[in-house]
Amino acid sequence: MRRLGATLIPVAVLTALALTLPASTSAAPGHAGAKPKGHNPFASGWTEKVLDADQNFRGLEAVSRKEAWVTGESLTKGGPARVFRTTDRGETWTDVSPADTGGLSFRDVEVHGKVAHVLAIGPGDASRIYRSTDGGASWTESFRNDDENAFYDCMAFYGSGRRGLAVSDPVDGKLRILSTKDRGRSWEVLPSKGMPASDKEFGFAASGDCLVTSGRAAFIVTGGAKSRVLKSVDRGLTWTAVESGIPAGEAAGGFAGAFSSPQRGIAVGGDFADSKDTADTTAYTRNGRTWSVGGDLTHIGEDVTVLHSWRYAVATGDYDGSTGSSVTSDGGATWQRVSDKGYHAIDCVGKVCWAAGGKGRVGHN
């Protein structure tokens, strides 16, 4: 089964959850306890607004301290998927959505220079990539999946954005990799020879960060039958896989990753079928090859981003009552909850953080 709601729970159940689960409404800027070490983006000045209450935002790109993009899916069956952009630090947001997006689910957005890419997830031709070179004023469809067995989850670009990858759930027992060499104008499916067997193992489309890059390295954070981190250093042609330490399960595993360098990274996750079980929800690496279980979050981990240097990062989540945000000041070894606010996606530029969540919520400091 595929995950239109980022889990393996049946689609009918997911639809009901999407329409009934409340967004986090706590106004508390922090959480009782010792003062967290390092920077806490929720400590003061955090601003939240609703752009479109019919949208569930899971795609987010923090381009700069002033510019950010968010993407979503309609909570109304068959409703349009939306893309919003701000260039004035969240004072105003502009709807820059492509045309004819009814029923699509925009789960990832990547922006490099003047080129923006939006990934729609889903089975068969529901998986698409749209490309804009003028701030979202116009779009071209650069890829549409024609394999009913493929289901693309996440996308990432290297460096300046000339090369990029997207990952699909297993096809014929292996994760499928899509590649571009021309800034997303065209895409091709890479040979699967260099991909380890991944039957019933997949990336979760929880926040668009199940596939991330750092330098020349690309990483895929997985769950399902296995919970691993796959790494490629040759633009997606060959991959090595190691256990992350985050428990695997039908709707469990690693959901997102963030790297300050190819050697130092963090993965977060949980279990969408039991979101209140927050034990062993993080992992970290100091060499880019082996992973250790990190400190437990007190909420599900849907996304993680590096704040500044490799030591400082923030993780967040908001699913089925498991809501909150936490920071680490030791590269993921330990975590402290800093806010009762939770989101599906978070991204930071320096100390300025942006977040996006359910019912059209966006936030920033």
Side-chain angles (χ1 to χ4, degrees):
M1 294 179 65
R2 306 300 189 184
R3 293 162 321 287
L4 295 184
T7 79
L8 284 172
I9 302 170
V11 172
V13 176
L14 290 170
T15 301
L17 285 172
L19 293 174
T20 60
L21 284 179
S24 174
T25 58
S26 171
H31 187 76
K35 182 179 179 181
K37 298 178 181 179
H39 180 65
N40 171 13
F42 296 89
S44 62
W46 187 261
T47 299
E48 181 179 288
K49 64 175 58 177
V50 174
L51 301 185
D52 181 346
D54 184 56
Q55 289 291 301
N56 182 37
F57 291 135
R58 289 187 180 273
L60 169 64
E61 175 83 330
V63 179
S64 69
R65 290 172 171 82
K66 292 185 177 182
E67 181 181 358
W69 297 58
V70 295
T71 64
E73 62 195 356
S74 176
L75 296 176
T76 302
K77 184 177 181 181
R82 296 293 191 195
V83 181
F84 289 87
R85 179 194 185 208
T86 181
T87 57
D88 57 8
R89 200 163 180 173
E91 289 294 321
T92 60
W93 292 81
T94 304
D95 186 341
V96 294
S97 307
D100 302 322
T101 62
L104 295 182
S105 177
F106 288 152
R107 291 297 183 93
D108 200 355
V109 54
E110 302 287 330
V111 183
H112 293 269
K114 295 182 178 180
V115 184
H117 312 268
V118 173
L119 172 70
I121 70 161
D125 65 4
S127 284
R128 307 175 190 181
I129 298 175
Y130 293 85
R131 181 176 187 267
S132 175
T133 59
D134 54 12
S138 63
W139 296 85
T140 58
E141 185 181 298
S142 58
F143 170 77
R144 181 177 297 204
N145 176 41
D146 60 3
D147 188 337
E148 63 181 11
N149 295 312
F151 183 119
Y152 287 88
D153 298 293
C154 299
M155 146 181 88
F157 284 77
Y158 295 90
S160 63
R162 186 169 68 89
R163 290 176 176 266
L165 304 174
V167 60
S168 163
D169 288 350
V171 177
D172 297 328
K174 293 185 176 182
L175 295 172
R176 172 168 287 182
I177 300 298
L178 192 67
S179 172
T180 181
K181 300 177 182 177
D182 57 7
R183 298 186 180 276
R185 293 183 184 88
S186 61
W187 296 81
E188 65 174 344
V189 175
L190 295 183
S192 63
K193 182 178 179 180
M195 175 64 70
S198 303
D199 191 32
K200 296 183 180 179
E201 175 188 13
F202 36 78
F204 283 87
S207 60
D209 284 332
C210 65
L211 169 63
V212 292
T213 63
S214 180
R216 294 182 59 86
F219 299 87
I220 303 172
V221 179
T222 71
K226 297 179 181 178
S227 181
R228 303 192 291 182
V229 178
L230 283 67
K231 178 181 180 181
S232 174
V233 294
D234 58 5
R235 311 298 189 188
L237 291 173
T238 60
W239 298 80
T240 57
V242 295
E243 298 290 333
S244 69
I246 300 173
E250 186 181 23
F255 299 157
F259 290 78
S260 58
S261 73
Q263 291 75 42
R264 297 184 183 274
I266 295 170
V268 299
D271 187 347
F272 281 122
D274 185 8
S275 60
K276 294 178 178 61
D277 181 0
T278 58
D280 299 331
T281 40
T282 74
Y284 64 92
T285 182
R286 298 285 191 265
N287 57 20
R289 299 186 303 275
T290 58
W291 288 76
S292 301
V293 175
D296 297 344
L297 301 175
T298 58
H299 51 82
I300 200 165
E302 292 186 278
D303 202 8
V304 61
T305 184
V306 175
L307 279 166
H308 55 92
S309 86
W310 67 271
R311 293 182 180 274
Y312 302 99
V314 56
T316 193
D318 181 11
Y319 186 83
D320 195 19
S322 183
T323 301
S325 297
S326 300
V327 297
T328 179
S329 58
D330 54 16
T334 62
W335 293 84
Q336 184 170 3
R337 184 186 183 99
V338 294
S339 180
D340 293 330
K341 286 184 179 292
Y343 298 88
H344 298 318
I346 191 162
D347 197 13
C348 300
V349 178
K351 294 184 178 181
V352 175
C353 293
W354 302 83
K359 295 188 177 180
R361 297 180 304 124
V362 296
H364 69 91
N365 62 345

